[in-house]
Amino acid sequence: MPIGVVNVRYLVLGLLARRPMSGYDIRRLLRSLGWLIGIPSSGSVYPALKALESQGLVTKEVTVRHDRPPRKVYSIGVAGKQALRQWASAPASASTLRAFVIRLMLASSMSPEAIVRYLQDRQSLVASHAETLQELVRRLDKMDDLGELLALDYGVAVARAELAWLDDTLVRLRETLPPEEVMGDVSAAPAAGDV
Amino acid sequence: MPIGVVNVRYLVLGLLARRPMSGYDIRRLLRSLGWLIGIPSSGSVYPALKALESQGLVTKEVTVRHDRPPRKVYSIGVAGKQALRQWASAPASASTLRAFVIRLMLASSMSPEAIVRYLQDRQSLVASHAETLQELVRRLDKMDDLGELLALDYGVAVARAELAWLDDTLVRLRETLPPEEVMGDVSAAPAAGDV
DNA sequence: AAGCGCATGTAAAAGGTTACATGATTAC
DNA sequence: GTAATCATGTAACCTTTTACATGCGCTT
């Protein structure tokens, strides 16, 4: 199953940040998540690990075993953690749903502030997206083209659901995280209810 | 902006099925849809048009204009319509959200039965996906990993919204379409509410 | 005996983006 | 005058998939 357009290298690096794993482990983990992210082919995972190692971001530990191919467990290093943090904290721009999830899963590698910022950015992005779509639906309305109508309507539905989730999650997150760390003006972000 | 993993060729072909357009028109249309699909680069659209033409699926009509580059409007042909219908009616397998939308937008090139089947297939696919995710959330629960928890929760939320939309839409569609054309047992499909 | 899970990898091909080239017209 | 829109296209590069190679142990 294809994973789409998202540097596998960072996904792999992010997963190694949680615990040391082999290439096989990584694929298995992703497979267990089913659809959420998809399963990158071995043809992308193994080269990614190699590249990360040669970049000095991860280290390899080989366990030789008779009969079986040697198990190669990779661990993230200091440089890797830094690179990851940098990537995870970079502005997300117009990322797709899947790209969003991938980075979301790597939340543990972000500071609480970065997580909140990430969600807030997503919020305004999706909000403006939803508005655009709704404006289009309004203009279409008449029996223009069934396919376009369906697609737009679907887009609106998904975008609304995302906004609702973002709203909820930000609230929950603020309850959990230390309350002193109040971010910049949050109330400026559009609420899910009014889109 | 990347469009993800979806042969641009079929997207282009599908859009030409709606009305004759130039490569520029196609990109403009997609741009107006904002986020929903994304905007394939000219480096993929123009070659796609060429390929479609050399395959005999579309025909080109050139309008020469002084000053400006000639405007090349492509129209879908009979063979093109057939190829499109065939593609649109093929089983969707584990397609991503975006791939789903793209084909959804091409609904006008499908028979009503094919549309309903498409949505039903999506329904069972998303339902099983949602179940998997929920099972994972249940097992995780404890403070395992914030990122994974967020990602799974997000996945569940989006999947539920999709199911709700599919439910709604199938109902609306059945109201609109001739009622004689009742498909195979629909009640077997899981409802959105109980997931 | 066949097939799947474990476990690693490689090479070719496909598909797409990026960046460039070209050049007139319109809006600020 | 400067930027954006119109309008086409090419070539190098990057990422990813596909398909293969290898081979043991366990289950059906």
Side-chain angles (χ1 to χ4, degrees):
Chain A
M1 320 238 148
I3 211 185
V5 183
V6 174
N7 249 329
V8 170
R9 260 179 18 267
Y10 279 105
L11 173 57
V12 166
L13 185 61
L15 293 178
L16 290 181
R18 311 173 74 199
R19 65 187 131 95
M21 283 195 275
S22 70
Y24 193 85
D25 290 338
I26 289 172
R27 277 172 39 87
R28 183 172 35 189
L29 170 65
L30 259 11
R31 195 177 299 121
S32 80
L33 261 39
W35 219 26
L36 196 59
I37 287 181
I39 306 140
S41 63
S42 42
S44 68
V45 170
Y46 289 112
L49 285 168
K50 225 176 215 187
L52 288 173
E53 195 195 1
S54 76
Q55 278 187 276
L57 301 181
V58 301
T59 56
K60 178 171 55 178
E61 197 176 344
V62 185
T63 313
V64 184
R65 295 166 305 174
H66 51 83
D67 337 343
R68 237 166 277 215
R71 188 174 154 77
K72 303 185 180 175
V73 175
Y74 293 83
S75 309
I76 196 167
V78 185
K81 276 184 189 164
Q82 202 193 325
L84 180 62
R85 201 159 20 240
Q86 209 174 315
W87 177 75
S89 303
S93 75
S95 60
T96 62
L97 189 140
R98 190 161 268 186
F100 173 71
V101 185
I102 288 179
R103 236 155 104 160
L104 187 60
M105 189 158 30
L106 274 31
S108 315
S109 304
M110 304 188 215
S111 66
E113 299 85 25
I115 297 175
V116 172
R117 206 185 320 123
Y118 185 55
L119 296 183
Q120 284 173 351
D121 285 357
R122 181 73 178 179
Q123 211 170 35
S124 54
L125 202 70
V126 176
S128 88
H129 176 226
E131 244 171 88
T132 306
L133 290 181
Q134 265 159 153
E135 178 58 29
L136 286 170
V137 171
R138 230 172 287 134
R139 274 194 210 154
L140 207 68
D141 223 357
K142 52 206 104 172
M143 300 294 217
D144 223 346
D145 177 89
L146 176 60
E148 186 161 353
L149 192 65
L150 287 176
L152 291 174
D153 196 50
Y154 174 85
V156 171
V158 173
R160 274 187 186 158
E162 239 198 284
L163 285 174
W165 182 86
L166 286 165
D167 242 32
D168 261 35
T169 304
L170 277 168
V171 170
R172 272 181 295 163
L173 234 46
R174 286 204 199 89
E175 282 169 1
T176 309
L177 299 178
E180 317 93 55
E181 318 191 38
V182 180
M183 319 268 85
D185 192 13
V186 173
S187 54
D194 49 82
V195 180
Chain B
M1 319 242 146
I3 213 187
V5 183
V6 174
N7 248 331
V8 169
R9 260 179 20 266
Y10 279 105
L11 174 57
V12 166
L13 186 61
L15 294 177
L16 291 180
R18 312 173 74 197
R19 67 186 128 95
M21 282 195 274
S22 68
Y24 193 84
D25 290 338
I26 289 172
R27 275 169 44 82
R28 182 171 36 190
L29 170 64
L30 258 12
R31 195 177 299 121
S32 81
L33 260 42
W35 218 28
L36 196 58
I37 288 182
I39 307 139
S41 64
S42 42
S44 69
V45 170
Y46 290 111
L49 285 168
K50 228 177 213 187
L52 288 172
E53 195 194 2
S54 75
Q55 278 187 277
L57 302 181
V58 302
T59 55
K60 178 171 55 178
E61 197 177 344
V62 183
T63 312
V64 184
R65 296 165 303 174
H66 51 81
D67 338 342
R68 237 167 278 215
R71 187 175 153 76
K72 303 184 179 175
V73 175
Y74 293 84
S75 308
I76 195 167
V78 185
K81 275 184 191 162
Q82 202 193 323
L84 181 61
R85 199 156 25 238
Q86 209 174 315
W87 177 75
S89 302
S93 75
S95 59
T96 61
L97 189 139
R98 189 162 266 185
F100 173 72
V101 185
I102 288 178
R103 234 152 105 160
L104 187 61
M105 189 158 32
L106 273 31
S108 315
S109 303
M110 304 187 214
S111 67
E113 299 86 23
I115 298 176
V116 172
R117 205 184 322 123
Y118 185 55
L119 296 184
Q120 284 173 352
D121 285 356
R122 181 73 179 177
Q123 212 170 36
S124 53
L125 201 71
V126 176
S128 89
H129 175 225
E131 245 171 88
T132 306
L133 289 181
Q134 264 157 155
E135 178 59 27
L136 285 171
V137 171
R138 230 171 290 134
R139 272 194 212 154
L140 206 69
D141 220 358
K142 50 205 108 173
M143 300 298 215
D144 223 349
D145 177 271
L146 176 61
E148 186 161 355
L149 192 65
L150 287 175
L152 291 174
D153 195 52
Y154 174 85
V156 170
V158 172
R160 274 187 187 159
E162 239 197 284
L163 285 174
W165 182 86
L166 286 165
D167 242 32
D168 261 36
T169 304
L170 277 167
V171 171
R172 272 181 294 163
L173 233 47
R174 287 205 199 89
E175 282 168 2
T176 310
L177 299 178
E180 316 93 55
E181 318 188 39
V182 179
M183 319 268 86
D185 190 14
V186 173
S187 54
D194 50 84
V195 179

